[in-house]
Amino acid sequence: MKKYVLGFLLVSSLGLAACTSNDSEEASVSAQSTEQTTTESTEEEPEATFEDGVFDNDSFTLTYEDAQIINSPMEDGPGLYVTYTLKNKLDENINPQEILDTVVIATQENDTSEVDLPNNYYSLDAFGPEEDTDTYNEQVDKENAVSDDLKPGKEVEIVNSFGLDNKENPVQLQMLIDPEAEEYSDPYEIKLEDLEEIPEPEGEEKAETEEETPTEENEEPESNESTEQEETFVPEEPGVDSDIAQRYQDAIENKGMSEDEAYDYANAPYIDEDAEEELEGGEYYDYEDEDDFDDEISEEEAEANIEQVEQFRKNFKEENGREPTSGEIQSQW
């Protein structure tokens, strides 16, 4: 009986020891699992933040600096020109354009909808016409800074232009803080009424066109005589120097003659009406072969007259923004 009891106690003791051992192993596994979870949780990358216009994560810091409303002649409406500072926090290059395309979005409300603003607004000509090479090249440099890779530890000023839906409602700027969950930050509001607006630049071509277009009050009808003179110039009085100079200019610009041909053509007209027909088909007079000239001037006199006409044309264009007509040139002599 004692042996039986002892045997039972021994078995029970072993069973209890086994249970105790199993419980210890389970507790150890549980502790290890908890420790591993805690470690993994600690090792996860911290969440990106976007506060007061500053977006920050482990890779870079993107800081909103300011914005302007621009009006490019190449676009149908206004745009929002945003300037940032980008700092690279990695040990390798980063590309500013990729960051702007994947991280930054801008939205704006109108009367019916909330609109995603496109970030490809053309801005190269928004601060000056393309003829203004200094301003144009400055904008080209800024665009290049966006497309060029940024080295480790460096920072650069970059710009991004959005097409505005309207100029009344504010623009909401947001950043992608969790790419896996496609979660964006709370919006950073840009109030358009607080921004400077850059008016649309006027290039030289546009300015000249506006000067040439008369207003309704000052518009004067063109006479048939002036139109005819522009198409075909025929001297009325032989020996008038301005007529000879104008014929020379007409031969160069409208008839495609060489300088020698134009000189002969300009000095030849004062013979008879039938002779004018000989000019058709690109032919021209050789005054040395004609015996019935009413008048003739020397080459030096012709060149002096031409210079005088050219100076008048230049002064007239500077004052009026267009070339003078034949009649206007004749009226000066």
Side-chain angles (χ1 to χ4, degrees):
M1 187 66 178
K2 289 181 180 179
K3 289 182 180 181
Y4 177 79
V5 172
L6 289 173
F8 175 79
L9 291 175
L10 181 61
V11 171
S12 297
S13 175
L14 292 173
L16 181 60
C19 289
T20 302
S21 176
N22 289 337
D23 290 343
S24 298
E25 289 179 4
E26 290 177 1
S28 175
V29 170
S30 178
Q32 290 177 0
S33 176
T34 302
E35 182 179 354
Q36 182 177 359
T37 301
T38 303
T39 302
E40 289 178 355
S41 177
T42 304
E43 291 177 353
E44 287 181 358
E45 294 185 0
E47 186 178 271
T49 59
F50 183 49
E51 298 176 355
D52 298 327
V54 180
F55 176 82
D56 188 67
N57 62 16
D58 283 348
S59 301
F60 59 86
T61 300
L62 183 66
T63 305
Y64 167 86
E65 299 294 348
D66 59 39
Q68 296 166 294
I69 299 174
I70 57 176
N71 296 272
S72 168
M74 295 290 291
E75 298 283 355
D76 294 332
L80 184 67
Y81 184 87
V82 183
T83 302
Y84 314 87
T85 297
L86 175 65
K87 182 176 181 180
N88 185 1
K89 298 166 66 175
L90 296 177
D91 294 330
E92 59 187 24
N93 293 347
I94 60 175
N95 186 267
Q97 187 65 65
E98 291 180 1
I99 292 173
L100 293 178
D101 289 342
T102 59
V103 174
V104 184
I105 63 169
T107 60
Q108 187 181 30
E109 292 184 358
N110 56 31
D111 292 339
T112 60
S113 310
E114 182 176 354
V115 181
D116 291 334
L117 301 182
N119 67 346
N120 59 351
Y121 188 92
Y122 187 80
S123 61
L124 288 179
D125 60 356
F127 294 87
E130 294 188 1
E131 295 87 355
D132 182 357
T133 55
D134 290 340
T135 302
Y136 184 81
N137 290 337
E138 181 182 350
Q139 294 305 312
V140 170
D141 291 340
K142 289 186 177 182
E143 282 213 354
N144 289 339
V146 175
S147 58
D148 294 339
D149 285 349
L150 182 62
K151 293 180 177 180
K154 302 295 184 179
E155 66 178 36
V156 66
E157 181 181 282
I158 58 175
V159 296
N160 194 19
S161 299
F162 300 92
L164 288 173
D165 181 80
N166 58 80
K167 292 200 296 184
E168 290 74 38
N169 297 323
V171 170
Q172 309 295 335
L173 199 66
Q174 293 178 275
M175 304 286 175
L176 183 64
I177 58 176
D178 188 347
E180 292 185 2
E182 295 184 357
E183 179 183 354
Y184 282 86
S185 66
D186 292 334
Y188 179 82
E189 186 172 84
I190 303 175
K191 296 181 179 179
L192 301 186
E193 62 266 24
D194 296 338
L195 304 182
E196 175 189 12
E197 180 169 359
I198 308 299
E200 179 179 331
E202 292 187 2
E204 293 179 1
E205 181 177 349
K206 182 175 180 180
E208 289 181 3
T209 303
E210 291 178 351
E211 289 179 3
E212 291 175 3
T213 305
T215 61
E216 294 182 0
E217 296 179 357
N218 301 325
E219 186 174 358
E220 297 181 0
E222 296 182 358
S223 64
N224 293 333
E225 180 181 357
S226 174
T227 304
E228 291 175 357
Q229 287 175 340
E230 289 181 5
E231 294 176 353
T232 305
F233 177 76
V234 180
E236 296 179 358
E237 298 181 10
V240 178
D241 294 349
S242 63
D243 291 349
I244 295 174
Q246 179 59 31
R247 286 180 67 83
Y248 179 89
Q249 197 70 25
D250 179 62
I252 294 290
E253 295 182 353
N254 301 323
K255 298 183 181 298
M257 294 183 181
S258 67
E259 292 183 359
D260 291 339
E261 292 172 341
Y263 178 77
D264 292 339
Y265 171 75
N267 279 276
Y270 312 121
I271 43 179
D272 57 60
E273 294 181 358
D274 295 336
E276 288 290 339
E277 298 178 0
E278 297 180 23
L279 293 174
E280 296 179 0
E283 298 179 357
Y284 64 96
Y285 292 116
D286 184 352
Y287 65 88
E288 293 180 355
D289 297 335
E290 299 288 350
D291 298 324
D292 51 356
F293 279 101
D294 293 329
D295 255 321
E296 180 181 324
I297 64 173
S298 68
E299 184 174 354
E300 291 77 12
E301 290 173 327
E303 290 176 353
N305 292 333
I306 292 167
E307 290 179 1
Q308 189 176 11
V309 171
E310 283 302 307
Q311 185 61 44
F312 170 76
R313 288 162 64 92
K314 180 180 178 181
N315 295 339
F316 185 94
K317 185 174 181 180
E318 289 178 353
E319 294 176 2
N320 300 279
R322 62 176 178 84
E323 292 285 348
T325 64
S326 300
E328 288 169 332
I329 292 176
Q330 292 182 68
S331 66
Q332 303 302 309
W333 288 274

